[in-house]
């Protein structure tokens, strides 16, 4: 096996003692695809696809294998022109993890991590249907979603775009989302294949991972998407065991096509191609967004015999086969629907409400009822400005988005006093004219088209301090003003796509101006400040602001006064993540920890609402009354959050990732080879012990465990019975709502290790789950099927699944650390 493997991962199987198990069901990839799935045979001679290929020129074939400029673009990510002469239509490809990303309005759905928190496959299908319908209504043919890479490191910048840290949960949800998307006639693209679990050096990092770890953790979600019929797969940027993912024959041909029977097409991530002959031969079919390797270079390679034209025909056939399946070649595709913003908004609200996770609720802080609801202080910038989505590919232009403050005031009614305090000013305050010489205002400057404006003066600082300079500007990033402080540029242009992968909240001011920030340690005294701005072709508006110790202290003092004057406090905290960069810490950015601590000390009936991308450390936790995790809740986030706060809806979301206590107590901590990598090489040396499995194996207590989530009611479990079903099993038990409110419980079934497998295994792993809605006092018998796959391990020597026979422990409960029932069953090969 390539790379440096841990002792655990290197343990081998005992020869001849095991047999490959049959798999299927229970959320794991089944052995056969659904009707219409992209796993059928190659085009038959004489078929429509074969006929088209035979009539195409080489140039026409190549036009289907790489991106081009769309003459009628809607701002989507990609385009291929088709072959008009033969009736092959163009393809438009849009980003879509949380809604269709074009320049027009679309439903901004909650982030996928919030969808996953509902533990509801049916809701995942509805989520997919909403995006599928809107994608077709907005003129798109291919959706660049869903993303099914697991959450491995808490720092990954795109954790909010995926489902969580567990492969079974990811498999269940991605399969249903794919079915929903494609049921509306939009081609789904599962991404990023594979091992794309961080943004740091994502275009070059070499992931060293053993076969078992890949097969048991990262690949099941992709396999489930293929079994569900996904028409396309997107190759990842990174390398896997020395080979770029987009030219890895092991992945693109060996695993994807030979093992899983996929016959759709594989495209690159944007600018992720690195070769022509090697990539095409490995199984890559389409280069995006241009033709650097699959355009002129491929034409030349065919001409000189380096690449057989048959390989080009194979790739073209894969693209056309999927287009034919979706009715794009014979006019059989259904008419494009009109947009239905109302239906989209209802789904967005449903998902955000179902996925909200109540992490803490002491002293009956929530729901806000009675006296608690008659005097409320709302604190935090995201309390007044809606936090809709993360940045990068997941950013959507919403139809609308109300602020939580507006929603809370409307729900509370006129008899309730709802005050607001900013708490922390993320957009900066005006630089006093008295600090500038000459005293030229930098608050709002307009530079006419074709003109330029320069300020060259002195900034005087009374005492040493850390200032955060905040530049607001109109126009594209390339046109922003140049700001020099003591000769150093404060806002240099970010290389590559860095300028365009900006966050969804702090990167734009309320009036729409783009925002950039720079933190600087200033010494007391004079500093030279030079600003140069050019109006360009359309003119420029900008302002330069700052935040310092004095402004921050004033903001916190205002928030503390508001907290003391109110019965209840709802404090909104944020973390703004985006594609293209990872987080540096799991702590909240800026000075929010100090703000929360001060406010909670002033009023212990403080609820913290977290609009964050992933897990967060909470040094202030014990001072607060409640914590509600809402991630990036989409355009209906304010309404969903308000419904949960006031008890109009009962929280039923559960964590799909473990929350560490701190930056030094999680699976990646203390080992840079695991993350972020050393010398361009990253080792998955933790093997199968990812997420909650690592916390169990190492005996580390998480802040909140996988599967955790509270409710305004209580649930009791009873009567566990375990019975074999083939090589799998069924867990049958009863759940009763023992409280006074209707609510949803997520019953989780975990299995322990097999005594017959001589390798490192998880202490417990999720094997099934069921979301159940119960009225007060209602009881329901629940049956959760555990598939053979969930009881199996991957044999890296035999290259197949091996059933973990023997006496297995089965736990049923409300989280990975909250077992309510426990039993044992003998697992053996069955018919």
């Amino acid at each position: 096996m390539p790379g440096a493997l841990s002792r655990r991962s290197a343990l081998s199987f005992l020869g001849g003692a095991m047999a490959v198990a049959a798999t299927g069901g229970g959320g794991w990839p089944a052995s056969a695809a659904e009707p219409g799935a992209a796993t059928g045979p190659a085009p038959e001679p004489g078929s429509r696809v074969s006929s088209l290929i035979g009539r195409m020129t080489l140039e026409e074939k190549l036009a289907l294998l790489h991106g081009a400029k769309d003459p009628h673009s809607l701002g989507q990510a990609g385009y291929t022109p088709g072959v008009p002469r033969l009736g092959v239509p163009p393809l438009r490809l849009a980003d879509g993890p949380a809604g269709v990303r074009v320049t027009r309005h679309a439903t901004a759905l909650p982030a996928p991590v919030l969808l996953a928190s509902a533990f509801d496959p049916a809701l995942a299908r509805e989520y997919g249907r909403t995006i599928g319908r809107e994608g077709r209504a907005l003129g798109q043919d291919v959706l660049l979603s869903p993303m099914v890479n697991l959450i491995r490191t808490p720092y990954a910048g795109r954790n909010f775009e995926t489902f969580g840290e567990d492969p079974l949960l990811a498999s269940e949800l991605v399969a249903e989302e794919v079915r929903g998307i494609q049921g509306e006639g939009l081609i789904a693209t599962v991404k990023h294949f594979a091992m794309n679990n961080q943004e740091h050096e994502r275009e070059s990092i070499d992931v060293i991972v053993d076969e078992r770890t890949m097969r048991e953790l990262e690949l099941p979600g992709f396999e489930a998407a293929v079994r569900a019929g996904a028409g396309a797969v997107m190759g990842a940027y990174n390398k896997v065991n020395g080979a770029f993912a987009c030219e890895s024959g092991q992945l693109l041909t060996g695993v994807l096509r030979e093992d899983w029977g996929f016959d759709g097409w594989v495209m690159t991530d944007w600018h992720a191609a690195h070769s022509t002959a090697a990539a095409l031969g490995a199984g890559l079919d389409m280069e995006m967004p241009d033709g650097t390797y699959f355009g002129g270079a491929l034409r030349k390679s065919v001409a000189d015999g380096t690449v057989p034209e048959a390989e080009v025909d194979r790739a073209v056939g894969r693209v056309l086969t999927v287009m034919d399946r979706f009715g794009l070649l014979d006019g059989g595709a259904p008419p494009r629907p009109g947009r239905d913003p109302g239906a989209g908004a209802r789904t967005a609200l449903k998902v955000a409400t179902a996925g909200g996770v109540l992490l803490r609720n002491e002293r009956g802080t929530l729901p806000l009822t009675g006296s608690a609801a008659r005097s409320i202080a709302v604190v935090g910038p995201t309390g007044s400005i809606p936090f809709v989505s993360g940045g990068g590919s997941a950013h959507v232009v919403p139809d609308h988005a109300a602020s939580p403050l507006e929603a809370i005031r409307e729900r509370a009614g006129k008899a309730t006093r709802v005050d607001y305090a900013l708490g922390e000013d993320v957009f900066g305050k005006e630089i006093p004219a008295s600090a500038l010489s000459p005293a030229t205002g930098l608050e709002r400057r307009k530079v006419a088209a074709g003109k330029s404006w320069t300020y060259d003066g002195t900034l005087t600082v009374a005492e040493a301090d850390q200032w955060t300079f905040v530049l607001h500007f109109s126009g594209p990033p390339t046109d922003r003003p140049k700001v020099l402080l003591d000769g150093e540029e404060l806002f240099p242009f970010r290389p590559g796509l860095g300028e365009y992968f900006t966050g969804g909240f702090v990167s734009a001011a309320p009036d729409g101006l783009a925002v950039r920030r720079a933190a600087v340690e200033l010494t007391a005294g004079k500093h030279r400040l030079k600003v140069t701005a050019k109006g360009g072709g359309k003119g420029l508006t900008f302002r330069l602001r700052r935040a310092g110790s004095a402004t921050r202290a004033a903001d916190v003092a205002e928030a503390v006064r508001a907290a003391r004057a109110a019965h209840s406090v709802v404090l909104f905290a944020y973390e703004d993540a985006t594609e293209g960069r990872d987080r540096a810490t799991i702590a909240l950015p800026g000075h929010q920890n100090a703000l929360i601590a001060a406010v909670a000390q002033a009023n212990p009936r403080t609820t913290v609402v977290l609009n964050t991308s992933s897990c967060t450390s909470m040094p202030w936790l014990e001072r607060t009354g409640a914590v509600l995790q809402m991630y990036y809740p989409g355009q209906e986030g304010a309404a969903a959050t308000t419904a949960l706060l006031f008890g109009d809806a009962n929280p039923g979301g559960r964590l799909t990732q473990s929350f560490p206590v701190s930056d030094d107590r999680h699976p990646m901590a203390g080992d840079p080879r695991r993350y972020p990598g050393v010398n361009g090489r990253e080792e998955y040396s933790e093997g199968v012990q990812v997420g909650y499995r690592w916390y169990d194996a190492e005996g580390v207590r998480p802040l909140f465990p996988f599967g955790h989530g509270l409710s305004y009611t209580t649930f009791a479990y009873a009567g566990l019975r375990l019975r074999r079903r083939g090589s799998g099993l069924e867990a049958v038990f009863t759940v009763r709502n023992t409280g006074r409110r209707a609510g949803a419980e997520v019953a989780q079934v975990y299995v322990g290790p097999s005594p017959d497998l001589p390798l490192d295994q998880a202490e417990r792993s999720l094997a099934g789950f069921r979301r159940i809605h119960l009225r007060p006092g209602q009881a329901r018998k629940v049956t959760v099927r555990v598939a053979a796959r969930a009881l199996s391990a991957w044999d890296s020597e035999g290259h197949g699944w091996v059933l973990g026979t023997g006496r297995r422990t089965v736990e049923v409960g409300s989280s990975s650390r909250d077992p309510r029932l426990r039993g044992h069953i003998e697992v053996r090969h069955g018919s």
Side-chain angles (χ1 to χ4, degrees), residues 516-667:
R516 296 292 185 272
R517 293 170 182 77
V520 180
E521 295 289 342
L522 293 178
T523 58
K526 298 181 183 299
H527 300 268
R528 185 182 179 189
L529 179 65
K530 184 175 182 180
V531 182
T532 304
K534 296 180 180 180
K538 296 182 179 179
L540 173 71
T541 299
F542 79 94
R543 52 184 171 251
L544 183 64
R545 292 180 169 182
R546 63 80 170 89
S549 296
T551 66
R552 296 185 191 104
D555 288 340
V556 171
E558 178 194 18
V560 167
R561 286 193 296 271
R564 285 176 176 157
H567 184 283
S568 305
V569 179
V570 181
L571 191 157
F572 287 82
Y574 74 92
E575 175 259 320
D576 202 12
T578 182
E579 176 182 1
R581 66 171 184 263
D582 286 344
R583 297 194 290 174
T585 175
I586 62 171
L588 291 170
H591 296 78
Q592 292 182 95
N593 280 340
L595 169 66
I596 296 171
V599 168
Q601 184 172 353
N603 188 335
R605 294 177 300 277
T606 293
T607 295
V608 177
V609 178
L610 293 169
N611 292 131
T612 56
S613 69
S614 190
C615 57
T616 304
S617 59
M618 305 178 197
W620 35 260
L621 182 64
E622 295 303 319
R623 300 185 185 181
T624 63
V627 179
L628 179 62
Q629 177 69 51
M630 291 302 295
Y631 295 108
Y632 299 157
Q635 68 180 48
E636 304 300 323
T641 301
T642 300
L644 294 169
L645 289 172
F646 283 86
D648 302 329
N650 194 346
R654 301 293 184 265
L655 291 182
T656 67
Q657 58 188 304
S658 308
F659 275 38
V661 171
S662 63
D663 280 304
D664 59 0
R665 293 178 68 79
H666 59 75

Side-chain angles (χ1 to χ4, degrees), residues 115-482:
L115 165 69
S117 299
F119 277 73
D120 189 342
L123 191 59
R125 183 176 285 209
E126 181 178 337
Y127 187 97
R129 284 200 305 266
T130 297
I131 301 178
R133 183 174 59 249
E134 287 215 328
R136 295 207 69 243
L138 290 166
Q140 304 305 299
D141 306 291
V142 182
L143 185 76
L144 306 175
S145 182
M147 175 178 171
V148 76
N149 302 101
L150 292 186
I151 294 178
R152 174 179 177 261
T153 169
Y155 304 117
R158 301 181 78 172
N159 280 350
F160 66 96
E161 290 188 53
T162 191
F163 299 115
E165 67 189 25
D166 183 80
L168 181 135
L169 178 64
S171 297
E172 284 262 10
L173 298 180
V174 74
E176 291 305 308
E177 185 177 345
V178 165
R179 292 182 181 111
I181 293 165
Q182 298 196 155
E184 299 295 324
L186 193 68
I187 301 167
T189 307
V190 65
K191 64 183 186 183
H192 309 84
F193 191 63
M195 315 310 295
N196 183 189
N197 304 118
Q198 68 185 55
E199 295 300 281
H200 178 75
E201 295 183 351
R202 68 175 183 172
E203 295 183 0
S204 60
I205 195 75
D206 188 4
V207 175
I208 306 303
V209 56
D210 66 272
E211 184 178 324
R212 181 185 171 215
T213 298
M214 264 200 296
R215 290 285 191 162
E216 291 192 20
L217 295 178
E218 179 83 349
L219 296 189
F222 290 97
E223 184 180 359
V226 168
R227 302 299 189 197
V233 170
M234 181 187 291
Y237 285 113
N238 50 279
K239 295 177 181 177
V240 179
N241 294 328
F244 279 108
C246 285
E247 53 188 43
S248 168
Q250 178 186 13
L251 286 174
L252 304 187
T253 296
V255 172
L256 188 59
R257 302 190 189 282
E258 294 177 357
D259 289 1
W260 299 344
F262 178 67
D263 77 342
W265 88 84
V266 178
M267 70 182 77
T268 66
D269 204 336
W270 268 225
H271 302 288
H274 294 274
S275 64
T276 300
L280 190 67
L284 183 69
D285 304 305
M286 181 182 288
E287 177 189 5
M288 278 293 165
D290 54 28
T292 302
Y293 294 96
F294 278 21
L298 182 52
R299 184 190 312 111
K300 181 177 182 297
S301 295
V302 172
D304 65 19
T306 305
V307 172
E309 190 165 351
E311 289 192 1
V312 173
D313 292 350
R314 181 185 64 187
V316 171
R318 289 166 176 167
V319 176
L320 292 177
T321 295
V322 178
M323 294 179 70
D324 194 33
R325 178 156 64 95
F326 282 79
L328 298 177
L329 299 183
D330 63 355
R336 291 190 183 273
R339 274 202 70 219
D340 188 345
R346 288 190 291 275
T347 297
L349 177 60
K350 184 177 180 180
V351 172
T353 306
V357 185
L358 184 61
L359 297 177
R360 173 180 170 86
N361 193 22
E362 299 296 313
R363 304 179 297 276
T365 300
L366 292 180
L368 299 174
T369 58
S371 59
R374 289 195 284 271
S375 172
I376 303 170
V378 176
V379 177
T382 46
S384 64
I385 304 170
F387 201 135
V388 176
S389 66
S393 299
H395 181 70
V396 177
V397 181
D399 290 301
H400 70 275
S403 79
L405 178 61
E406 294 169 358
I408 289 171
R409 281 178 170 160
E410 182 178 351
R411 170 60 179 81
K414 295 181 180 179
T416 297
R417 177 181 174 182
V418 180
D419 293 326
Y420 174 72
L422 182 61
E424 182 173 52
D425 191 346
V426 297
F427 297 113
K429 301 188 188 313
E430 182 177 354
I431 299 176
S434 60
L436 298 170
S437 179
T440 303
L442 298 174
E443 174 57 18
R444 189 169 185 88
R445 307 296 309 186
K446 291 189 176 182
V447 184
K451 302 293 184 179
S452 61
W453 182 88
T454 299
Y455 175 86
D456 194 349
T458 301
L459 170 68
T460 301
V461 179
E463 57 186 22
D465 194 8
Q466 184 190 74
W467 276 31
T468 298
F469 288 90
V470 188
L471 178 66
H472 303 222
F473 61 95
S474 61
T478 51
D479 294 346
R480 69 165 173 258
K482 186 174 184 179

Side-chain angles (χ1 to χ4, degrees), residues 713-719 733-739 745 774 778-780 814 820-821:
T713 190
T714 53
F715 300 94
Y717 289 69
F733 51 92
T734 299
V735 180
R736 182 183 299 274
N737 183 339
T738 56
E745 171 69 331
L774 296 172
Q778 182 183 9
R780 182 178 300 169
S814 286
R820 305 291 183 87
L821 303 172

